[in-house]
Amino acid sequence: MGARRTTLRILTLAVPAAAALVVAAPGQALPPHPFGPPALTIGCPNQGSLMSLTGATGQSGPEPGINPGEIRFQTFPAAPPIPAAGQVTVAWVNFDTGQTGIANLEGTYPYLSKTVYTGHGNVMASLFGSINLGSMPLCQANPTFGNFIA
């Protein structure tokens, strides 16, 4: 009987303390979430092909280099051929806060990224761009859309 009372007392004190630790633990970020379909790039006379695909993801924080309320948007090649250079832009709206923004991704094409503060909430983003092939004319990276939680 005494052991049972001692166990109940320990559980009475330990369970709320353990629950407080679980609730106070830092939030876990979601893995990078892909945009819908890859961005179809058309009109680039590159390596004999007039089409290529660019993939994109959004990664919400907290993660190293990504704070809570931020999303890192990134691009990568989804199918060859890879155009020589490009400028990719992301436009987003946070449906919970009403915040909006437009940002140019940075880096060396096709590996571009940009971390933006979107605020906490449900974020819809569109990624689009243009491709420069040096002396060749510009071509278009058609938009792709994604939904993210920041």
Side-chain angles (χ1 to χ4, degrees):
M1 192 71 133
R4 184 174 180 195
R5 281 188 192 168
T6 302
T7 302
L8 286 174
R9 286 182 184 165
I10 291 171
L11 288 175
T12 301
L13 295 173
V15 169
L21 287 174
V22 169
V23 171
Q28 296 294 321
L30 298 172
H33 182 74
F35 276 74
L40 175 63
T41 304
I42 56 174
C44 299
N46 181 12
Q47 301 175 9
S49 174
L50 295 177
M51 183 196 91
S52 67
L53 296 174
T54 300
T57 62
Q59 169 73 50
S60 58
E63 284 288 311
I66 310 171
N67 295 318
E70 292 180 338
I71 298 176
R72 177 183 295 137
F73 297 104
Q74 305 175 110
T75 63
F76 55 90
I82 299 170
Q87 178 56 56
V88 177
T89 302
V90 64
W92 57 269
V93 60
N94 184 321
F95 288 121
D96 294 334
T97 66
Q99 293 173 279
T100 62
I102 298 175
N104 290 326
L105 276 60
E106 301 167 345
T108 303
Y109 189 83
Y111 299 100
L112 302 172
S113 69
K114 179 77 172 191
T115 302
V116 297
Y117 182 78
T118 61
H120 297 280
N122 185 21
V123 175
M124 176 66 75
S126 175
L127 195 96
F128 53 92
S130 61
I131 310 300
N132 181 356
L133 294 172
S135 62
M136 298 287 195
L138 291 176
C139 55
Q140 173 84 19
N142 287 329
T144 186
F145 298 90
N147 192 36
F148 308 93
I149 303 296

